[in-house]
Structure formats: structure tokens, C-alpha cells
Amino acid sequence: MGVDSQIVERIRDWMFMEALPFWGSAGLDFVNGGAVEGFEFNSGIPSTVGFKRTRVTCRQLYVFSHAEILGWPSARDASNWTYAFLREKHWAGPDLGWLRRVDTKGVSLDATPDLYDYAFALFALGWRYKARRDPSSLALAHATLDFMNARFRHPGGLGFHTALPGALPREQNPHMHLAEAALALWESTEDTRFLDLAEEVVALFKAHMRQPTNGVVPEFFDDDWRPVAGENGRWIEPGHQFEWAW
């Protein structure tokens, strides 16, 4: 069955005429820098939560970088605006790494190193480099991975801590995003350092995360990659199954 060209056109129209213009204008914080955290559902005004998460800024940077590759005219400015805040406010330097949350102006609220944030930082930086061949984004990707190798690696040699210091339970989902990010960086740089990381995470998935007897990937594991006891050990997210399969 072929793809309905009208459906494709409707999706493209929505993306380029509605979604991207909205997030590239109302979705950017032109007072404090970076992107807004979210919007009130009924009013459409920016939410007043008082913080910005690193993972959200990274997701927006990815979107604008991909949009630049696809030819959206305003993507370059939106990407630059978002990247400047990410680099200057969310990144605390090679010794502290990525902050988890900052306030609306970029002052640290939570400095906890979280693997989910690091995965999305690598993903966003990989796509920005793909769009721009920006040396600073590639250098920041390497600095991110340096921090992860020095601080996040599990002493048992199997993957990374979910958060520091050594938080339990261990989680598969940030590892999935880490594999995704490593592949994006490999595709944009052809640097085998990133390919090695992707292959390492996929090997970990095959050996410990997937459950071949029932065909699913649990969410939460103990320190030795066994599903945790109780209800959390039976927790399955359908979307995460699709992401690993993709």
C-alpha cells in the first residue's frame, strides 16, 4: 500500500506552518534566553513553573537543528538562541557537567547529574553538528561523554548509573536515548568513539534488558540488571518498546 500524498502534505503543512512557527516564536523565552518550559493548556501562555529542564532545552535544540536540515527558514536563529542558553546556563563545566534544572534566568536549581539529561544533550549536540558542522557543539559532545565515562559508569562494567550518586533502581529508558544519541553522533561525525558507545549499549540491551521469554523490556532493574521486585518490576511502557525496536 502506497503512502497517501494528501496525508503527507497535511503533516508537512502542520509542521512547517503551525508547529515550528509556534515553538520558534512563542516557545522561545526572549526575555531570559532559551526555550520556555511549557504552556498553560487552556490559555496558551507560558507556564509559571519557575524552572527550565536541561532535557527540554535539548529537545528543542534537536527540533530546530533537524528543522534547519529540512529547510525551515527560521530554524537557524531558533537553534542559535536555544544553543546559547544550553551552553551558557545548563552546562556547568567539565567538572560539574549538565545541571538538571535551572530557574527561568539560568541559575542552578538542581545540579544532580542525570543520565536522561546527558543522553538528550548528546542527541541534540549530534543533530546540531549535523546541521551546522559547529566545532563547539562537537567539543561539548566529547566533554559530555568524558564526564560520563569518568563519573557515570557502573563499577560492575555494565552500563551507566541512572543518576549520581549511584541511584537505584537502574533504568533502561535513558540507555535507549543514549544509544539513539550515540548513533546520531556517529552518523554526523563518523567518529568511532560514538559508534563504540552505541554498540556497547545495544549489547547491554541484548544481554540484560530485554526479556526474551515474554518479549518485553521492563523499566526498572536492580544493581545487577534484574527486574526489581514487586509492581515496578512488572512495569512495561509500550512506547519504550517501540523506541528500542526502532
Side-chain angles (χ1 to χ4, degrees):
M1 180 181 294
V3 177
D4 188 323
S5 60
Q6 290 184 332
I7 293 176
V8 172
E9 194 61 32
R10 285 174 61 191
I11 293 172
R12 287 187 61 86
D13 285 347
W14 174 81
M15 179 62 70
F16 288 98
M17 304 301 292
E18 297 183 43
L20 286 171
F22 176 81
W23 288 103
S25 55
L28 296 180
D29 183 349
F30 292 109
V31 176
N32 302 302
V36 301
E37 177 69 18
F39 290 88
E40 302 295 338
F41 184 75
N42 292 321
S43 67
I45 63 174
S47 60
T48 55
V49 292
F51 62 80
K52 295 175 180 178
R53 291 174 293 170
T54 293
R55 63 192 62 181
V56 171
T57 304
C58 290
R59 285 168 167 171
Q60 295 300 79
L61 177 59
Y62 153 69
V63 167
F64 296 135
S65 297
H66 199 160
E68 183 174 352
I69 293 171
L70 294 176
W72 183 52
S74 300
R76 187 178 185 88
D77 289 341
S79 174
N80 286 340
W81 182 264
T82 308
Y83 179 59
F85 192 87
L86 180 71
R87 186 184 65 243
E88 295 167 10
K89 303 298 185 180
H90 290 282
W91 175 249
D95 295 328
L96 297 175
W98 293 102
L99 305 172
R100 181 185 272 169
R101 292 191 307 167
V102 299
D103 70 11
T104 54
K105 296 182 182 296
V107 177
S108 175
L109 293 175
D110 184 354
T112 304
D114 190 314
L115 184 61
Y116 199 93
D117 297 323
Y118 281 69
F120 269 104
L122 288 172
F123 186 66
L125 293 168
W127 274 90
R128 179 171 168 88
Y129 186 75
K130 184 176 182 178
R132 193 68 57 79
R133 296 294 183 227
D134 176 4
S136 72
S137 59
L138 181 56
L140 191 49
H142 280 292
T144 299
L145 188 49
D146 289 341
F147 184 96
M148 290 173 57
N149 284 332
R151 300 282 303 280
F152 267 96
R153 284 200 171 273
H154 190 274
L158 296 175
F160 299 86
H161 291 296
T162 298
L164 298 180
L168 289 174
R170 303 186 74 182
E171 297 182 30
Q172 59 81 13
N173 189 47
H175 284 82
M176 183 279 298
H177 287 296
L178 183 57
E180 180 183 36
L183 287 171
L185 279 159
W186 157 246
E187 290 171 356
S188 62
T189 67
E190 296 188 349
D191 187 328
T192 56
R193 186 186 196 200
F194 302 117
L195 180 61
D196 291 344
L197 176 61
E199 291 180 337
E200 176 190 351
V201 176
V202 170
L204 179 66
F205 165 79
K206 290 179 177 180
H208 296 280
M209 296 181 193
R210 67 174 179 176
Q211 305 295 296
T213 56
N214 54 22
V216 298
V217 185
E219 290 295 308
F220 303 111
F221 297 82
D222 67 14
D223 215 30
D224 295 316
W225 286 110
R226 294 182 298 253
V228 297
E231 182 178 349
N232 281 347
R234 300 189 298 272
W235 190 333
I236 306 297
E237 292 277 0
H240 295 163
Q241 317 299 299
F242 280 113
E243 286 179 303
W244 271 114
W246 175 84

